[in-house]
Amino acid sequence: MDRIWMYKARRTDAYFRRELNKFIQASEKHARNEKTRWISCPCKTCKNLRIFNDTTTIRSHVLVGSFVGDYMIWTYHGENAPPPTDNPLDKIIPEV
């Protein structure tokens, strides 16, 4: 999924707000699946370290301060990171 809108679109544009609404919906769905009301705030200030039980606060944080950098995979909001392509165990040289 293309997430470039998070960093390139103007936060005042309708496009950004529509995409932000989709993010909020995905966050709410993840919270329901986890049986919680708490959602991590992905704004630059909170950096997914603060949690809120209302999406209005999260929405306003993102609109005012943007998303935390490089949050292309929403790991705090229900997405799984892809497996690493480089396995450090492959680089271990066995003793002879």
Side-chain angles (χ1 to χ4, degrees):
M1 180 180 284
D2 181 20
R3 303 273 165 80
I4 203 71
W5 65 269
M6 296 168 63
Y7 305 102
K8 298 294 183 185
R10 293 170 39 136
R11 293 188 306 272
T12 55
D13 288 350
Y15 171 72
F16 183 90
R17 290 171 185 260
R18 278 192 308 273
E19 295 301 314
L20 178 58
N21 286 338
K22 291 177 189 176
F23 170 82
I24 294 292
Q25 289 172 351
S27 299
E28 291 171 327
K29 181 179 178 183
H30 174 64
R32 279 191 306 275
N33 290 343
E34 295 294 313
K35 297 180 178 23
T36 185
R37 296 180 319 159
W38 299 101
I39 299 173
S40 296
C41 181
C43 77
K44 278 186 178 179
T45 302
C46 294
K47 300 177 183 173
N48 284 310
L49 300 175
R50 292 182 65 195
I51 57 174
F52 297 96
N53 63 0
D54 69 299
T55 56
T56 303
T57 301
I58 293 170
R59 181 179 280 105
S60 65
H61 278 210
V62 171
L63 286 172
V64 170
S66 187
F67 281 92
V68 65
D70 199 31
Y71 192 50
M72 301 303 263
I73 301 170
W74 299 340
T75 53
Y76 290 89
H77 301 89
E79 290 187 336
N80 294 321
T85 57
D86 186 29
N87 187 349
L89 294 177
D90 291 342
K91 294 181 181 178
I92 297 174
I93 301 171
E95 291 184 31
V96 183

